Structure formats: structure tokens, C-alpha cells
Amino acid sequence: MQQHVNLEIMGFVEREILPRYNQFGHSHGMVHVQRVIKNALELVASTGADINMVYVIAAYHDLGMEGPRAIHHLTGGKMLAADMRLRRWFSAEQIRIMKEAVEDHRASASHAPRSIYGMIVAEADRDLDAETVFARAIEYGLENYPELDKMGQWKRFDSHMEEKYSSNGYIKLWIPNSPNEKRIKNLREIIVDKPRLQQVFERIYTGLMDK
């Protein structure tokens, strides 16, 4: 099994694809996509997936943020499939699988990913380190709802945590025994403890506002 990403593909992605993430703000920007790529590549060995396909899917997964966020997963899939440059390295069947994987990565998707590739990128996108989850959610609120005051931001943040990450939330994990199983347990322990969650919010919010 190939253990390293093809250097030509990596060079292309680093030149032509990753810089486009700089326009998406910090919550979905360069730091985020690089983290998803790292997480995805770590899942290759345990799943037997093609490392080059995994790398490209992870690199393209949020590119659809160039359009409406609500359909960014669908837009991103179309962008990958339409990028003729990828045909230098991948067959039409591989590109179809990669397109579907990008479409399937979204946490709120109503159906399970259609392939192991969709499962890998969905799992990799679930960066469930508590500090990262909280910081990204607060950053997103500040970037997209600047009209909200501090209390409004807290209410939006708390509601989002309940809706997405709580034990009743819509987020799902697809790879058994992945590092995310332990992380989501820790995350849920904080979310259910509202005074503790509010302390975390206060600390991160204050730090962001002081920048």
C-alpha cells in the first residue's frame, strides 16, 4: 500500500487549491483544511484507502464555501468533478467516488457516506478537540453574526453546541475506534455542564475580542 502522497499531486494542491481557503475566514480557512488533511491521512492505514484520493478529497472538501454555505458540500463535489486537471492522476470512477465523498462529508447530512472515502473525510472534518470546537464556533459567530452582542453570541454558541455536538446532536462518527470517540465524550461532558461551558465561552470570546 502506498504510504505517501504523490508529490506531483501534493504540489498541485498546495499551489492551486489550498490558497483558496484564505478567503473563508479562520473558522473554515487554511488552518482548518490543513487539519482535516492531516486527520484524513492518519485514517488511511487503518482503512486501506488510496492515500492520493484521500488527500485530494480532504483538500477540496470545503472549497464549495466559495458559494452558499448551506450547499457547500454539493458545490465542492461539483468543483472537484469539474476540475479537469485531476484527470491526469485519477480515473473517471475515482473522480466520481471523490465527488461523492466531498458531498457526503457534511455533519448534518441526512444519509451515511456512500463509501469509505466519504466516511474518512467526514471523520477527519470532525475535529473534536474541545478547545478547537469551541474556538471555531465562537469565531464563526463573530464573523457571520457581528450584530449580536456578547449575550447573543453566547446563546448562539450554546444552541449550536446542543444541536450539533451534544448526546442528542446530529454529528455522527463513522470510523470505529477512531480518536474522535474519546474526544466527543470529553466534549459532551463540558457541554452538559452549563456553568463550565459558559466559563469556556467567556475566556475564548474575551481573547478573540482583545485581538
Side-chain angles (χ1 to χ4, degrees):
M1 186 190 304
Q2 185 180 345
Q3 297 297 317
H4 302 287
V5 178
N6 177 298
L7 292 179
E8 277 191 11
I9 297 174
M10 185 179 289
F12 161 71
V13 166
E14 290 184 349
R15 287 191 313 272
E16 304 293 336
I17 305 304
L18 298 188
R20 292 163 68 174
Y21 280 81
N22 287 319
Q23 65 185 301
F24 299 151
H26 189 68
S27 62
H28 287 83
M30 185 70 82
V31 171
H32 171 64
V33 69
Q34 289 175 332
R35 186 184 300 123
V36 172
I37 289 171
K38 176 178 179 291
N39 291 346
L41 294 180
E42 287 176 352
L43 293 169
V44 166
S46 63
T47 58
D50 181 296
I51 194 168
N52 293 317
M53 291 173 66
V54 168
Y55 176 74
V56 170
I57 294 161
Y60 279 71
H61 84 283
D62 271 349
L63 211 56
M65 293 287 286
E66 291 180 348
R69 183 174 189 269
I71 58 167
H72 79 278
H73 52 306
L74 302 177
T75 305
K78 290 176 182 176
M79 293 167 83
L80 186 154
D83 195 335
M84 301 298 289
R85 296 169 296 184
L86 293 175
R87 302 195 179 200
R88 177 175 177 181
W89 302 290
F90 301 103
S91 69
E93 175 66 7
Q94 287 175 312
I95 288 172
R96 181 190 65 78
I97 292 169
M98 293 192 292
K99 171 182 181 285
E100 290 181 351
V102 171
E103 292 173 343
D104 292 346
H105 86 271
R106 197 168 186 211
S108 57
S110 59
H111 61 84
R114 286 165 280 185
S115 72
I116 188 62
Y117 293 95
M119 292 179 183
I120 288 171
V121 75
E123 188 83 5
D125 194 33
R126 317 288 188 264
D127 195 322
L128 297 176
D129 170 75
E131 191 73 8
T132 303
V133 167
F134 297 145
R136 285 188 70 215
I138 296 167
E139 285 168 349
Y140 184 84
L142 292 172
E143 289 168 3
N144 293 275
Y145 303 96
E147 72 280 3
L148 294 179
D149 62 9
K150 184 178 180 180
M151 182 55 67
Q153 292 289 352
W154 156 249
K155 288 179 178 177
R156 193 208 72 84
F157 168 77
D158 181 43
S159 175
H160 179 63
M161 290 301 113
E162 286 290 338
E163 181 184 8
K164 184 171 182 178
Y165 295 104
S166 73
S167 55
N168 296 316
Y170 62 74
I171 197 166
K172 296 179 180 68
L173 301 182
W174 302 109
I175 310 276
N177 302 313
S178 77
N180 278 338
E181 285 189 348
K182 184 176 180 180
R183 291 177 188 140
I184 200 165
K185 182 175 182 290
N186 176 58
L187 192 58
R188 286 170 174 168
E189 288 173 354
I190 300 172
I191 290 170
V192 78
D193 184 346
K194 294 305 178 186
R196 184 180 176 192
L197 184 64
Q198 190 155 14
Q199 285 180 348
V200 171
F201 171 83
E202 292 272 351
R203 173 174 55 78
I204 296 173
Y205 179 89
T206 300
L208 291 171
M209 296 303 287
D210 287 345
K211 282 185 178 179

